[in-house]
Amino acid sequence: EVQLLESGGDLVQPGGSLRLSCVASGFLFLDYTMTWVRQSPEKGLEWVASISHDASRTHYADSVRGRFTVSRDNSQNAVFLQLNRLRGDDTALYFCAKSQLARRLFDPWDLWGQGTPVTVSS
Amino acid sequence: DIQMTQSPSSLSASVGDTITITCRASQDISNYVSWYQKKSGKAPKLLISDASTLESGVPRRFRGGGSGTEFTFAITALQPEDVATYFCQQSDSLPFTFGGGTKVQIE
């Protein structure tokens, strides 16, 4: 089955850290750019970060650059998002998503996971 | 950053009606617009890419159009299962940005 499954979301205090994981199945993972998107009532849908198929290029939203790190392990069909120095406005449901075409960054996302919730609160 | 201004933010219509959503980009983005459907508790679903290309398996009552800065999304013959929030998104340049969403309900 073609799917993405996120995990790792949790309740964390401001300033804390989390590592989100997204495991893919049903497609040739190593060929596709992967992206993290988050959704909150305050900001709606917000692109967070993307990583190229071979991990040679990463891109970040200004709001998370320097605090979040995206990585991938193609041998495990997994993409990760390390969240450091978390703030209240990072509270959101975090989705991973796959680019529609192989080795493309500027592309729609044709497969999404169900999301993993991150709550930043003391 | 490219701003995507989506309207209306919500609408209510009857089964069988046609509804239209508009997305305006703050600069020319050619046809690099996609439309997504988000149902509560479900993963977002890509419905339309490149402004007007219907994704495989998506019912033909969903339509997209436009180019440059003005884009439209329509559902003809609205069905109960279409209750959801719909988002536009631009993939012309980083940072990728979304419209604020349109919540579609059945009267």
Side-chain angles (χ1 to χ4, degrees):
Chain A
E1 183 181 1
V2 179
Q3 65 177 3
L4 297 170
L5 187 61
E6 303 98 334
S7 61
D10 205 346
L11 169 64
V12 61
Q13 292 189 341
S17 297
L18 275 178
R19 189 190 195 214
L20 308 184
S21 300
C22 171
V23 176
S25 58
F27 64 95
L28 193 58
F29 180 77
L30 56 81
D31 262 358
Y32 292 90
T33 296
M34 297 298 295
T35 290
W36 287 93
V37 174
R38 65 186 181 184
Q39 183 180 30
S40 65
E42 297 77 21
K43 298 183 185 178
L45 284 168
E46 180 184 17
W47 169 76
V48 175
S50 296
I51 184 167
S52 63
H53 68 286
D54 60 358
S56 63
R57 287 161 290 156
T58 56
H59 307 274
Y60 297 93
D62 286 346
S63 58
V64 308
R65 187 176 292 111
R67 299 187 301 121
F68 291 9
T69 302
V70 60
S71 61
R72 65 190 294 161
D73 183 341
N74 286 346
S75 69
Q76 295 184 44
N77 285 356
V79 59
F80 308 99
L81 188 66
Q82 178 69 39
L83 291 66
N84 295 331
R85 301 191 341 247
L86 280 160
R87 312 184 305 218
D89 61 355
D90 294 319
T91 295
L93 185 63
Y94 284 72
F95 298 96
C96 65
K98 162 193 166 290
S99 287
Q100 187 173 39
L101 296 177
R103 309 193 178 198
R104 287 268 298 256
L105 170 63
F106 295 92
D107 222 36
W109 303 303
D110 68 346
L111 179 67
W112 296 62
Q114 300 269 11
T116 187
V118 172
T119 303
V120 184
S121 176
S122 54
Chain B
D1 298 3
I2 296 173
Q3 308 303 317
M4 301 295 287
T5 303
Q6 186 174 341
S7 62
S9 57
S10 66
L11 65 87
S12 184
S14 299
V15 172
D17 282 355
T18 294
I19 65 107
T20 301
I21 300 168
T22 298
C23 219
R24 178 176 293 116
S26 59
Q27 64 189 68
D28 189 331
I29 55 172
S30 185
N31 67 335
Y32 297 117
V33 164
S34 303
W35 292 91
Y36 297 88
Q37 178 190 66
K38 177 71 174 69
K39 295 184 177 181
S40 182
K42 297 282 189 72
K45 179 181 179 182
L46 176 64
L47 300 179
I48 289 171
S49 61
D50 296 335
S52 61
T53 301
L54 196 66
E55 294 303 301
S56 175
V58 175
R60 295 183 62 155
R61 65 179 181 274
F62 294 96
R63 296 182 182 175
S67 66
T69 61
E70 297 282 336
F71 302 89
T72 58
F73 171 84
I75 308 175
T76 60
L78 188 68
Q79 299 298 305
E81 60 266 32
D82 299 335
V83 169
T85 301
Y86 295 86
F87 296 89
C88 61
Q89 178 248 331
Q90 64 83 15
S91 53
D92 175 76
S93 61
L94 292 172
F96 301 126
T97 48
F98 292 85
T102 298
K103 187 173 185 179
V104 174
Q105 297 176 297
I106 301 290
E107 285 178 345

